[in-house]
Amino acid sequence: SLDRIQGLGRSGSTAAPPPTAMVAAAAERAECAVCGFVSRPRGADPQASMARHVADRARAGCAAHGVAWVRPQAKRRRAAGPAQLRWRASRPIPRHRNVARLALDAAVLACVRAEFEAMAPRKKDDREGLDLSARSDLFAAGRRFAVVQPAWGKSDIRWVSARDKSTLAYFSGLFSELRIAELAAPFLGADPAASWVMLAGYFVARQLVRKAHFHTDFSGTAAKAFTLMTPLHDMAALPDSCNLLCKTPGGLRRYRYVVGEAVIFGDDFVHATEPGDAGQPVAFLSFTFGSKKMTSEEWQCAEYYIAQQCPIYRDPAGKIKYEDAVAR
């Protein structure tokens, strides 16, 4: 199902899913998450009709529909027919203006996962498990990574970020290869993709979350700074934990992470990691990125958060900044 945001009641029980920005569909209708077009076909699958609408708009040159369109392989399209056309949309999570989903290249993410697992520390008694107790720097393929643990101590989360310029360039390369700025630009206002730059990159690893830590990453940036999170491990078969909880005017929501999809969020988005034990460490690729048009005051608000997670990062003008003198 495309609907992975669920309403949670006060008791923690799962309530009926609310309408989502990706698909608002009943049995007889489907609404385009990009432009609001409503399909009410008679005697046909409304989702297949919607897929054709998105594909037609994408082929006509609409960038937003182009991001939402999953181009089917020619052989599969001929064999399965138009009813099998698929579509997905990057669209704000309901009732919050500064959140969107992006469809990323799963093949690139698979390579990133392999690179992370090759350098991540291992438990001595479990060759398959990541050692989340590590606090020292990591070295792999000529790169040096810093391991940072947050001060609030409500989970075993670790931020694994660049320790030097060459490793920061590694994350910049991933940001470009995944086309983050290009994919995100249609949902971030009128500024073109060239206006959005990576500020910092991380791997995020965690398994156990003892208590939800609700917070905002950014505030006061005028929607010019964002965090991106995308999982490197398939979390579909894991217990309900380590997903994303978010507070909205409509109540508490859960976003389920899916490989090949990223969620981006900016100013005033109150969120937390879902409490629980995933049963195994899970890793994410994360970026903070922002607009080159940030004012000094807006950048100061963004930098306050970024500097807590990594010793080296860039400002909107591309200048390298050091929070830790060891990184020099």
Side-chain angles (χ1 to χ4, degrees), residues 21 66 77 83 87 117 129 132 143 147 156-157 160 167 190 194 201 203 264 279-280 293 323:
R77 183 169 64 250
W87 70 287
E117 292 185 340
L132 296 183
R143 306 184 188 104
V147 180
D156 58 8
I157 186 173
V160 182
T167 309
F203 292 112
I264 62 174
Q280 67 184 60
K293 299 180 180 180
E323 181 61 24

Side-chain angles (χ1 to χ4, degrees), residues 78-103:
R78 288 195 296 268
Q84 297 301 315
L85 290 174
R86 297 183 299 121
W87 70 287
R88 61 189 169 205
S90 301
R91 186 71 172 172
I93 288 176
R95 303 183 186 181
H96 202 289
R97 66 190 183 280
N98 291 329
V99 186
R101 303 178 190 181
L102 305 178

Side-chain angles (χ1 to χ4, degrees), residues 2-5 17-25 31 33 91-94 101:
L2 290 174
D3 184 1
R4 286 184 297 279
I5 303 177
T20 76
M22 293 189 73
V23 180
E31 180 179 345
R91 186 71 172 172
I93 288 176
R101 303 178 190 181

Side-chain angles (χ1 to χ4, degrees), residues 121-131 133:
R122 299 283 174 174
K123 296 179 181 178
K124 294 180 180 179
D125 58 348
D126 183 3
R127 294 182 181 180
E128 299 301 322
L130 305 180
D131 184 2
S133 66

Side-chain angles (χ1 to χ4, degrees), residues 202-225:
Y202 324 83
F203 292 112
V204 182
R206 59 192 175 213
Q207 174 179 333
L208 176 64
V209 180
R210 290 177 286 273
K211 184 178 180 181
H213 174 67
F214 283 98
H215 64 286
T216 60
D217 287 4
F218 299 110
S219 183
T221 74
K224 294 176 184 173

Side-chain angles (χ1 to χ4, degrees), residues 233-240 243 256-259:
H233 295 87
D234 185 359
M235 300 174 60
L238 299 181
D240 286 341
N243 287 295
R256 296 183 181 277
Y257 288 109
V258 173
V259 173

Side-chain angles (χ1 to χ4, degrees), residues 168 198-199 299 312-322:
L168 184 63
M198 189 200 81
L199 305 172
W299 166 239
I312 181 172
Y313 50 92
R314 287 195 176 100
D315 67 13
K319 182 180 179 181
I320 292 180
K321 310 280 286 186
Y322 298 95

